[in-house]
Amino acid sequence: KARVMMFAGSYETTGSGERYYKDTDLTGDVLKFEKQLKARKYPGLEIGAKILADEDHFTVFSNLLGRGLLWALPGFGPYTSG
C-alpha cells in the first residue's frame, strides 16, 4: 500500500508577473500526473494532489510540509495552538 500526495504552488504555472513561470506549467503537470495514476488503478495506491494558493516554487515548501505531515500522519483534531 502506498499513499502519495503531491503539491504545487498556484504561481508554478505560466502567467504574467514575476512569480509565474515563463514556459513551464508545473501545476498542470502535477494534476495531469495525478489523473494518469488514478486512471491506472494501481492496487493499494492512494494518490492526491493539491495546488496551494499564493505560493511559488520558493515559498511552497513550508506550507506543503505542514499539510503533508497532517495528511500522512493524521491525529485527532481539531488542532489548536498552545
Coordinates of all heavy atoms in Angstrom, one line a residue:
K1 N 0.8 -1.2 0.0 CA 0.0 0.0 0.0 C 0.9 1.2 0.0 O 1.9 1.3 0.7 CB -0.9 0.0 1.2 CG -1.9 1.1 1.3 CD -2.8 1.0 2.4 CE -3.8 2.2 2.4 NZ -4.8 2.1 3.3
A2 N 0.5 2.2 -0.8 CA 1.2 3.5 -0.9 C 0.3 4.7 -0.8 O -0.8 4.6 -1.5 CB 2.1 3.5 -2.1
R3 N 0.7 5.7 -0.1 CA -0.1 6.9 0.0 C 0.8 8.0 -0.6 O 1.9 8.2 0.0 CB -0.5 7.2 1.4 CG -1.5 6.2 1.9 CD -1.9 6.5 3.4 NE -2.8 7.6 3.4 CZ -2.8 8.6 4.3 NH1 -2.0 8.6 5.3 NH2 -3.7 9.6 4.2
V4 N 0.4 8.7 -1.6 CA 1.2 9.8 -2.2 C 0.4 11.0 -2.3 O -0.7 11.0 -2.8 CB 1.7 9.3 -3.6 CG1 2.5 10.4 -4.3 CG2 2.5 8.1 -3.5
M5 N 1.0 12.1 -1.9 CA 0.3 13.4 -2.0 C 1.3 14.4 -2.7 O 2.5 14.5 -2.2 CB -0.1 14.0 -0.7 CG -0.7 15.4 -0.7 SD -2.2 15.5 -1.7 CE -3.4 14.7 -0.6
M6 N 0.9 15.0 -3.8 CA 1.8 15.9 -4.5 C 1.2 17.4 -4.3 O 0.0 17.6 -4.2 CB 1.8 15.6 -6.0 CG 2.3 14.2 -6.2 SD 2.2 13.8 -8.0 CE 0.4 13.7 -8.3
F7 N 2.1 18.3 -4.2 CA 1.8 19.7 -4.0 C 2.5 20.6 -5.0 O 3.6 20.3 -5.4 CB 2.2 20.2 -2.6 CG 1.5 19.6 -1.5 CD1 2.0 18.5 -0.8 CD2 0.3 20.1 -1.0 CE1 1.4 17.9 0.2 CE2 -0.4 19.6 0.1 CZ 0.2 18.4 0.7
A8 N 1.9 21.6 -5.4 CA 2.5 22.7 -6.2 C 1.9 24.0 -5.8 O 0.7 24.1 -5.3 CB 2.3 22.4 -7.7
G9 N 2.6 25.1 -6.1 CA 2.1 26.4 -5.8 C 1.3 27.0 -6.9 O 1.5 26.6 -8.1
S10 N 0.3 27.8 -6.6 CA -0.5 28.3 -7.7 C 0.2 29.2 -8.7 O -0.2 29.4 -9.8 CB -1.7 29.1 -7.1 OG -1.2 30.3 -6.4
Y11 N 1.4 29.7 -8.3 CA 2.2 30.5 -9.2 C 3.1 29.6 -10.1 O 3.9 30.2 -10.9 CB 3.0 31.5 -8.5 CG 2.2 32.7 -7.9 CD1 2.0 32.9 -6.6 CD2 1.7 33.7 -8.8 CE1 1.2 33.9 -6.1 CE2 1.0 34.7 -8.3 CZ 0.7 34.9 -7.0 OH 0.0 35.9 -6.5
E12 N 3.1 28.3 -9.9 CA 4.0 27.4 -10.6 C 3.4 27.0 -11.9 O 3.3 25.9 -12.3 CB 4.4 26.2 -9.7 CG 5.2 26.6 -8.5 CD 5.7 25.4 -7.8 OE1 4.9 24.9 -6.9 OE2 6.9 25.0 -8.0
T13 N 3.0 28.0 -12.7 CA 2.4 27.9 -14.0 C 2.8 29.1 -14.8 O 3.4 30.1 -14.3 CB 0.9 27.7 -13.9 OG1 0.4 27.4 -15.2 CG2 0.2 28.9 -13.3
T14 N 2.4 29.2 -16.0 CA 2.7 30.3 -16.9 C 1.7 31.4 -16.6 O 0.6 31.2 -16.2 CB 2.7 30.0 -18.4 OG1 1.4 29.4 -18.7 CG2 3.7 29.0 -18.7
G15 N 2.2 32.6 -16.7 CA 1.3 33.8 -16.4 C 2.1 35.1 -16.5 O 3.3 35.1 -16.7
S16 N 1.4 36.2 -16.3 CA 2.2 37.4 -16.3 C 2.5 37.8 -14.8 O 1.7 37.6 -13.9 CB 1.3 38.5 -16.9 OG 0.1 38.7 -16.3
G17 N 3.6 38.3 -14.6 CA 4.1 38.7 -13.2 C 5.3 37.9 -12.9 O 5.7 36.9 -13.5
E18 N 6.1 38.5 -11.9 CA 7.4 38.0 -11.6 C 7.3 36.6 -11.0 O 8.3 35.8 -11.1 CB 8.0 38.9 -10.6 CG 8.4 40.3 -11.1 CD 9.0 41.2 -10.1 OE1 9.0 40.8 -8.9 OE2 9.5 42.2 -10.5
R19 N 6.3 36.2 -10.3 CA 6.2 34.9 -9.6 C 5.8 33.8 -10.5 O 6.0 32.6 -10.1 CB 5.3 35.0 -8.4 CG 5.7 36.0 -7.4 CD 4.8 36.1 -6.2 NE 5.0 34.9 -5.4 CZ 4.2 34.6 -4.3 NH1 3.3 35.5 -3.9 NH2 4.4 33.5 -3.6
Y20 N 5.3 34.0 -11.7 CA 4.9 33.0 -12.6 C 6.1 32.5 -13.4 O 7.0 33.2 -13.6 CB 3.8 33.5 -13.5 CG 2.5 33.7 -12.9 CD1 2.0 34.9 -12.5 CD2 1.6 32.6 -12.7 CE1 0.8 35.1 -12.0 CE2 0.4 32.8 -12.1 CZ 0.0 34.0 -11.8 OH -1.3 34.2 -11.2
Y21 N 6.0 31.2 -13.9 CA 7.0 30.7 -14.8 C 6.8 31.3 -16.2 O 5.6 31.6 -16.5 CB 6.8 29.2 -14.9 CG 7.3 28.4 -13.7 CD1 6.8 27.1 -13.4 CD2 8.2 28.9 -12.8 CE1 7.2 26.4 -12.3 CE2 8.6 28.2 -11.7 CZ 8.1 26.9 -11.5 OH 8.5 26.2 -10.4
K22 N 7.8 31.3 -16.9 CA 7.7 31.8 -18.3 C 7.2 30.7 -19.3 O 6.4 31.1 -20.2 CB 9.1 32.3 -18.8 CG 9.6 33.5 -18.0 CD 10.9 34.0 -18.6 CE 11.1 35.3 -17.9 NZ 12.3 35.7 -17.4
D23 N 7.6 29.5 -19.1 CA 7.2 28.5 -20.1 C 6.9 27.1 -19.5 O 6.9 26.1 -20.2 CB 8.2 28.4 -21.2 CG 9.6 28.1 -20.7 OD1 9.8 27.7 -19.5 OD2 10.5 28.2 -21.6
T24 N 6.8 27.0 -18.2 CA 6.6 25.7 -17.5 C 5.3 25.7 -16.7 O 5.0 26.7 -16.0 CB 7.7 25.4 -16.5 OG1 9.0 25.4 -17.2 CG2 7.6 24.1 -15.8
D25 N 4.5 24.6 -16.9 CA 3.2 24.6 -16.2 C 3.3 23.4 -15.2 O 2.7 22.3 -15.4 CB 2.1 24.4 -17.2 CG 0.7 24.3 -16.5 OD1 0.6 24.7 -15.3 OD2 -0.2 23.9 -17.2
L26 N 4.0 23.6 -14.0 CA 4.1 22.6 -13.0 C 2.7 22.2 -12.4 O 2.5 21.1 -12.2 CB 5.1 23.0 -12.0 CG 5.4 21.9 -10.9 CD1 6.0 20.7 -11.5 CD2 6.3 22.5 -9.8
T27 N 1.9 23.2 -12.2 CA 0.6 22.9 -11.6 C -0.2 22.0 -12.6 O -0.8 21.0 -12.1 CB -0.3 24.2 -11.4 OG1 -0.4 24.9 -12.6 CG2 0.4 25.1 -10.3
G28 N -0.2 22.3 -13.8 CA -0.9 21.4 -14.8 C -0.3 20.0 -14.9 O -1.0 19.0 -14.9
D29 N 1.1 20.0 -14.8 CA 1.8 18.7 -14.8 C 1.4 17.8 -13.6 O 1.2 16.6 -13.7 CB 3.3 18.9 -14.9 CG 3.8 19.4 -16.2 OD1 3.0 19.4 -17.2 OD2 4.9 19.9 -16.2
V30 N 1.3 18.4 -12.4 CA 1.0 17.7 -11.2 C -0.4 17.1 -11.3 O -0.6 15.9 -11.0 CB 1.2 18.6 -10.0 CG1 0.5 18.0 -8.8 CG2 2.6 18.8 -9.7
L31 N -1.4 17.9 -11.8 CA -2.7 17.5 -11.9 C -2.9 16.4 -12.9 O -3.7 15.4 -12.8 CB -3.7 18.7 -12.1 CG -3.7 19.7 -11.0 CD1 -4.6 20.9 -11.4 CD2 -4.3 19.1 -9.7
K32 N -2.2 16.6 -14.0 CA -2.2 15.6 -15.1 C -1.6 14.2 -14.6 O -2.2 13.2 -14.9 CB -1.4 16.1 -16.3 CG -1.4 15.1 -17.5 CD -0.6 15.8 -18.6 CE -0.4 14.8 -19.8 NZ 0.4 15.4 -20.9
F33 N -0.5 14.3 -13.9 CA 0.1 13.1 -13.4 C -0.8 12.4 -12.4 O -0.9 11.1 -12.4 CB 1.5 13.4 -12.7 CG 2.3 12.3 -12.3 CD1 2.5 11.2 -13.2 CD2 2.9 12.2 -11.1 CE1 3.3 10.1 -12.8 CE2 3.7 11.2 -10.7 CZ 3.9 10.1 -11.5
E34 N -1.4 13.1 -11.5 CA -2.4 12.5 -10.6 C -3.5 11.8 -11.3 O -3.9 10.7 -11.0 CB -3.0 13.6 -9.7 CG -4.1 13.1 -8.8 CD -5.0 14.2 -8.2 OE1 -5.2 15.3 -8.9 OE2 -5.6 14.0 -7.1
K35 N -4.1 12.4 -12.4 CA -5.1 11.8 -13.2 C -4.7 10.6 -13.8 O -5.4 9.6 -13.9 CB -5.6 12.9 -14.2 CG -6.8 12.4 -15.0 CD -7.3 13.5 -15.9 CE -8.5 13.1 -16.7 NZ -9.0 14.2 -17.6
Q36 N -3.5 10.6 -14.4 CA -2.9 9.4 -15.1 C -2.7 8.2 -14.1 O -3.1 7.1 -14.4 CB -1.6 9.7 -15.7 CG -1.6 10.6 -16.9 CD -0.3 11.1 -17.4 OE1 0.7 11.1 -16.7 NE2 -0.2 11.5 -18.7
L37 N -2.2 8.5 -12.9 CA -2.0 7.4 -11.9 C -3.3 6.9 -11.4 O -3.5 5.7 -11.3 CB -1.2 7.9 -10.8 CG 0.3 8.2 -11.1 CD1 1.0 8.7 -9.9 CD2 1.0 6.9 -11.5
K38 N -4.3 7.8 -11.2 CA -5.6 7.3 -10.8 C -6.3 6.4 -11.8 O -6.9 5.4 -11.5 CB -6.5 8.5 -10.4 CG -6.2 9.1 -9.1 CD -7.2 10.2 -8.8 CE -7.0 10.7 -7.4 NZ -7.9 11.8 -7.0
A39 N -6.1 6.8 -13.1 CA -6.7 6.0 -14.2 C -6.1 4.6 -14.3 O -6.8 3.7 -14.8 CB -6.5 6.8 -15.5
R40 N -4.9 4.4 -13.9 CA -4.2 3.1 -13.9 C -4.7 2.2 -12.8 O -4.5 1.0 -12.9 CB -2.7 3.3 -13.9 CG -2.2 3.9 -15.2 CD -0.7 4.1 -15.2 NE -0.3 4.8 -16.4 CZ 0.9 5.0 -16.7 NH1 1.9 4.7 -15.9 NH2 1.2 5.7 -17.8
K41 N -5.4 2.7 -11.8 CA -6.0 1.9 -10.8 C -5.0 0.9 -10.2 O -5.3 -0.3 -10.0 CB -7.2 1.2 -11.3 CG -8.3 2.2 -11.7 CD -9.5 1.6 -12.2 CE -10.5 2.7 -12.6 NZ -11.7 2.2 -13.2
Y42 N -3.8 1.4 -9.8 CA -2.9 0.5 -9.1 C -3.5 0.1 -7.8 O -3.9 0.9 -7.0 CB -1.6 1.3 -8.9 CG -0.8 1.5 -10.1 CD1 -0.5 2.8 -10.6 CD2 -0.2 0.5 -10.9 CE1 0.2 3.1 -11.7 CE2 0.5 0.7 -12.0 CZ 0.7 2.0 -12.4 OH 1.5 2.3 -13.6
P43 N -3.4 -1.2 -7.5 CA -3.9 -1.7 -6.2 C -3.2 -1.1 -5.1 O -1.9 -1.1 -5.1 CB -3.7 -3.2 -6.3 CG -3.5 -3.6 -7.7 CD -2.9 -2.3 -8.3
G44 N -3.9 -0.6 -4.1 CA -3.2 -0.1 -2.9 C -2.7 1.3 -3.0 O -2.1 1.8 -2.1
L45 N -2.8 2.0 -4.2 CA -2.3 3.3 -4.3 C -3.3 4.4 -4.0 O -4.4 4.4 -4.6 CB -1.7 3.5 -5.7 CG -1.2 5.0 -6.0 CD1 0.0 5.3 -5.1 CD2 -0.9 5.1 -7.5
E46 N -3.0 5.2 -3.0 CA -3.9 6.3 -2.7 C -3.1 7.6 -3.1 O -2.0 7.8 -2.6 CB -4.2 6.4 -1.2 CG -5.0 7.5 -0.8 CD -5.2 7.6 0.7 OE1 -5.1 6.6 1.4 OE2 -5.5 8.7 1.2
I47 N -3.6 8.3 -4.1 CA -2.9 9.4 -4.7 C -3.7 10.7 -4.6 O -4.9 10.6 -4.8 CB -2.5 9.1 -6.1 CG1 -1.6 10.3 -6.7 CG2 -3.6 8.9 -7.0 CD1 -0.2 9.9 -6.9
G48 N -3.1 11.8 -4.4 CA -3.8 13.1 -4.3 C -2.9 14.2 -4.8 O -1.6 14.0 -4.8
A49 N -3.4 15.3 -5.1 CA -2.7 16.5 -5.5 C -3.4 17.7 -5.0 O -4.6 17.8 -5.0 CB -2.5 16.5 -7.0
K50 N -2.6 18.7 -4.6 CA -3.2 20.0 -4.1 C -2.4 21.1 -4.7 O -1.1 21.0 -4.7 CB -3.2 20.1 -2.6 CG -4.1 19.1 -2.0 CD -4.3 19.4 -0.5 CE -5.2 18.4 0.2 NZ -6.6 18.4 -0.2
I51 N -3.1 22.1 -5.2 CA -2.4 23.4 -5.6 C -2.6 24.4 -4.5 O -3.8 24.7 -4.2 CB -3.0 23.8 -7.0 CG1 -3.0 22.7 -8.0 CG2 -2.3 25.1 -7.5 CD1 -1.6 22.1 -8.3
L52 N -1.5 24.9 -4.0 CA -1.6 25.8 -2.8 C -1.6 27.2 -3.3 O -0.7 27.7 -4.0 CB -0.4 25.5 -1.9 CG -0.3 24.1 -1.4 CD1 0.9 23.9 -0.5 CD2 -1.6 23.7 -0.7
A53 N -2.7 27.9 -2.9 CA -2.9 29.3 -3.3 C -1.8 30.2 -2.9 O -1.2 30.1 -1.8 CB -4.2 29.8 -2.8
D54 N -1.4 31.2 -3.7 CA -0.5 32.2 -3.4 C 0.9 31.7 -3.0 O 1.6 32.4 -2.3 CB -1.0 33.1 -2.2 CG -2.3 33.8 -2.6 OD1 -2.5 34.2 -3.7 OD2 -3.2 33.9 -1.7
E55 N 1.3 30.6 -3.6 CA 2.6 30.0 -3.3 C 3.4 29.9 -4.7 O 2.8 29.6 -5.7 CB 2.5 28.7 -2.7 CG 1.8 28.7 -1.3 CD 2.6 29.3 -0.2 OE1 3.8 29.6 -0.4 OE2 2.0 29.5 0.9
D56 N 4.7 30.1 -4.6 CA 5.5 29.8 -5.8 C 6.6 28.7 -5.4 O 6.5 28.2 -4.3 CB 6.2 31.1 -6.3 CG 7.1 31.8 -5.3 OD1 7.8 31.1 -4.5 OD2 7.2 33.0 -5.3
H57 N 7.5 28.5 -6.3 CA 8.4 27.4 -6.0 C 9.3 27.6 -4.8 O 9.7 26.6 -4.2 CB 9.3 27.1 -7.3 CG 10.0 25.8 -7.3 ND1 9.3 24.6 -7.5 CD2 11.3 25.5 -7.1 CE1 10.2 23.6 -7.4 NE2 11.4 24.1 -7.2
F58 N 9.5 28.8 -4.5 CA 10.4 29.1 -3.3 C 9.6 29.2 -2.0 O 10.2 29.1 -0.9 CB 11.1 30.4 -3.6 CG 12.0 30.4 -4.8 CD1 11.7 31.0 -6.0 CD2 13.2 29.6 -4.8 CE1 12.5 30.9 -7.1 CE2 14.0 29.5 -5.9 CZ 13.6 30.1 -7.1
T59 N 8.3 29.4 -2.0 CA 7.6 29.6 -0.8 C 6.7 28.4 -0.5 O 6.2 28.3 0.7 CB 6.6 30.9 -0.9 OG1 5.7 30.7 -1.9 CG2 7.5 32.1 -1.2
V60 N 6.5 27.5 -1.4 CA 5.5 26.4 -1.2 C 6.0 25.4 -0.2 O 5.2 24.7 0.5 CB 5.2 25.8 -2.6 CG1 6.3 24.9 -3.1 CG2 3.9 25.0 -2.5
F61 N 7.3 25.2 0.0 CA 7.8 24.1 0.8 C 7.3 24.1 2.2 O 6.9 23.1 2.7 CB 9.3 24.1 0.8 CG 9.9 22.9 1.5 CD1 9.8 21.6 1.0 CD2 10.4 23.1 2.8 CE1 10.3 20.5 1.7 CE2 10.9 22.0 3.5 CZ 10.8 20.7 2.9
S62 N 7.4 25.2 2.9 CA 7.0 25.2 4.3 C 5.5 24.9 4.5 O 5.1 24.2 5.4 CB 7.3 26.6 5.0 OG 6.6 27.6 4.3
N63 N 4.7 25.4 3.5 CA 3.3 25.1 3.6 C 3.0 23.7 3.3 O 2.2 23.0 4.0 CB 2.6 26.0 2.5 CG 1.1 26.1 2.8 OD1 0.5 25.3 3.5 ND2 0.5 27.2 2.2
L64 N 3.6 23.1 2.3 CA 3.4 21.7 1.9 C 3.9 20.8 3.0 O 3.3 19.7 3.2 CB 4.0 21.3 0.6 CG 5.5 21.1 0.4 CD1 5.9 19.7 0.8 CD2 5.8 21.4 -1.1
L65 N 4.9 21.2 3.7 CA 5.5 20.3 4.8 C 4.4 20.1 5.9 O 4.2 19.0 6.3 CB 6.7 20.9 5.3 CG 7.5 20.1 6.3 CD1 8.0 18.8 5.8 CD2 8.7 20.9 6.8
G66 N 3.8 21.2 6.3 CA 2.8 21.1 7.4 C 1.6 20.3 6.9 O 1.1 19.4 7.6
R67 N 1.1 20.7 5.7 CA -0.1 20.0 5.2 C 0.2 18.5 4.9 O -0.6 17.6 5.1 CB -0.5 20.7 3.9 CG -1.2 22.0 4.1 CD -1.4 22.7 2.8 NE -2.0 24.0 3.0 CZ -3.2 24.3 2.6 NH1 -4.0 23.5 2.0 NH2 -3.6 25.6 2.8
G68 N 1.4 18.2 4.4 CA 1.8 16.9 4.1 C 1.9 16.0 5.3 O 1.4 14.9 5.4
L69 N 2.4 16.5 6.4 CA 2.5 15.8 7.7 C 1.1 15.5 8.2 O 0.9 14.4 8.7 CB 3.4 16.5 8.7 CG 4.9 16.5 8.4 CD1 5.6 17.5 9.3 CD2 5.4 15.1 8.5
L70 N 0.3 16.5 8.2 CA -1.1 16.3 8.7 C -1.8 15.2 7.9 O -2.6 14.5 8.4 CB -1.9 17.6 8.7 CG -1.5 18.6 9.8 CD1 -2.2 19.9 9.6 CD2 -1.8 18.0 11.2
W71 N -1.6 15.2 6.6 CA -2.2 14.2 5.7 C -1.6 12.8 5.9 O -2.4 11.9 6.0 CB -2.0 14.6 4.2 CG -2.5 13.7 3.2 CD1 -3.8 13.6 2.8 CD2 -1.8 12.6 2.6 NE1 -3.9 12.5 1.9 CE2 -2.7 12.0 1.7 CE3 -0.5 12.2 2.6 CZ2 -2.3 10.9 0.9 CZ3 -0.1 11.2 1.8 CH2 -1.0 10.5 1.0
A72 N -0.3 12.8 6.0 CA 0.4 11.5 6.2 C 0.2 10.9 7.6 O 0.2 9.7 7.7 CB 1.8 11.6 5.8
L73 N 0.2 11.7 8.6 CA 0.2 11.3 10.0 C -1.0 11.9 10.7 O -0.8 12.7 11.6 CB 1.5 11.7 10.7 CG 2.8 11.2 10.0 CD1 4.0 11.8 10.6 CD2 2.9 9.7 10.0
P74 N -2.2 11.6 10.3 CA -3.3 12.3 10.9 C -3.4 11.9 12.4 O -3.2 10.8 12.8 CB -4.5 11.7 10.1 CG -4.1 10.4 9.6 CD -2.6 10.6 9.3
G75 N -3.8 12.9 13.2 CA -4.0 12.6 14.6 C -5.5 12.9 14.9 O -6.4 12.5 14.1
F76 N -5.7 13.4 16.0 CA -7.1 13.7 16.5 C -7.2 15.2 16.4 O -6.5 16.0 17.1 CB -7.3 13.2 17.8 CG -7.1 11.7 17.9 CD1 -5.9 11.1 18.3 CD2 -8.1 10.8 17.5 CE1 -5.7 9.8 18.4 CE2 -7.9 9.4 17.5 CZ -6.7 8.9 17.9
G77 N -8.2 15.7 15.7 CA -8.4 17.2 15.6 C -9.6 17.6 16.4 O -10.2 16.7 17.1
P78 N -10.0 18.8 16.4 CA -9.3 19.8 15.7 C -8.0 20.2 16.3 O -7.8 20.1 17.6 CB -10.3 21.0 15.7 CG -11.0 20.8 16.9 CD -11.1 19.3 17.1
Y79 N -7.0 20.7 15.5 CA -5.7 21.1 16.0 C -5.8 22.5 16.6 O -6.4 23.4 15.9 CB -4.7 20.9 15.0 CG -4.5 19.5 14.5 CD1 -5.1 19.0 13.4 CD2 -3.7 18.7 15.3 CE1 -4.9 17.7 13.0 CE2 -3.5 17.3 14.9 CZ -4.1 16.9 13.8 OH -4.0 15.6 13.4
T80 N -5.3 22.7 17.7 CA -5.3 24.1 18.3 C -3.9 24.5 18.7 O -3.0 23.6 19.0 CB -6.2 24.2 19.5 OG1 -5.8 23.2 20.5 CG2 -7.6 23.9 19.1
S81 N -3.6 25.8 18.7 CA -2.3 26.2 19.1 C -2.3 26.3 20.7 O -3.3 26.3 21.3 CB -2.0 27.6 18.5 OG -3.0 28.5 19.0
G82 N -1.1 26.2 21.2 CA -1.0 26.2 22.7 C -1.0 27.6 23.2 O -1.3 28.1 24.0

